[in-house]
Amino acid sequence: MRFGQRTFHSALMTVISALFISSHFGCVMKKPSVKLDNESEEDEYVGIITNEFEKDGCPWLIVYNDGVEDKYLIPVQLDDAYKKNGLKIEFEFHYSRIAQGDCQMGQPAVLEEVEVRQ
């Protein structure tokens, strides 16, 4: 083997070893969990239940204001008692990672402490 070939093989073995080690530790090491922004909400919110975006794949949404802007929630397993367009509710929630189907207007959320408001 000539000098050039030996250097090439040495460099190749170094690269292969580095790839093997990084892939091995990448699988073995614990990856950090991904957390949604504001995954846990502490406050109570007032919102309006709407089905006006049903044609856009959102059968039911909750429109609420977080103190800065209007936002949309996709309620997970919304109770039939609350499926009324224009119903005003007070609620707490936490975000969910459940698939939202075709709806792209908000984030899926599980509602808690729901009360109908006048």
Side-chain angles (χ1 to χ4, degrees), residues 101-118:
D102 294 333
C103 185
Q104 300 298 314
M105 293 207 50
Q107 287 187 274
V110 176
L111 303 183
E112 300 168 348
E113 308 294 326
V114 180
E115 292 182 30
V116 176
R117 297 272 308 256
Q118 299 300 330

Side-chain angles (χ1 to χ4, degrees), residues 35-64:
K35 202 170 184 185
L36 294 174
D37 290 337
N38 300 324
E39 188 168 335
S40 164
E41 296 292 332
E42 301 277 327
D43 300 327
E44 289 184 349
Y45 293 93
V46 175
I48 306 290
I49 297 178
T50 181
N51 65 354
E52 71 179 278
F53 302 101
E54 189 170 13
K55 66 179 187 296
D56 299 320
C58 306
W60 294 102
L61 289 174
I62 298 172
V63 183
Y64 76 101

Side-chain angles (χ1 to χ4, degrees), residues 29-103:
M29 293 177 64
K30 183 178 178 187
K31 296 194 181 0
S33 62
V34 176
K35 202 170 184 185
L36 294 174
D37 290 337
N38 300 324
E39 188 168 335
S40 164
E41 296 292 332
E42 301 277 327
D43 300 327
E44 289 184 349
Y45 293 93
V46 175
I48 306 290
I49 297 178
T50 181
N51 65 354
E52 71 179 278
F53 302 101
E54 189 170 13
K55 66 179 187 296
D56 299 320
C58 306
W60 294 102
L61 289 174
I62 298 172
V63 183
Y64 76 101
N65 190 293
D66 67 353
V68 177
E69 63 183 342
D70 286 343
K71 293 192 172 187
Y72 296 94
L73 294 176
I74 303 166
V76 175
Q77 297 180 344
L78 181 64
D79 191 294
D80 287 340
Y82 303 117
K83 291 182 180 180
K84 297 176 183 160
N85 191 41
L87 183 67
K88 189 175 190 178
I89 60 171
E90 185 174 322
F91 62 96
E92 294 177 14
F93 72 93
H94 66 270
Y95 290 111
S96 173
R97 288 187 170 96
I98 194 166
Q100 59 202 31
D102 294 333
C103 185

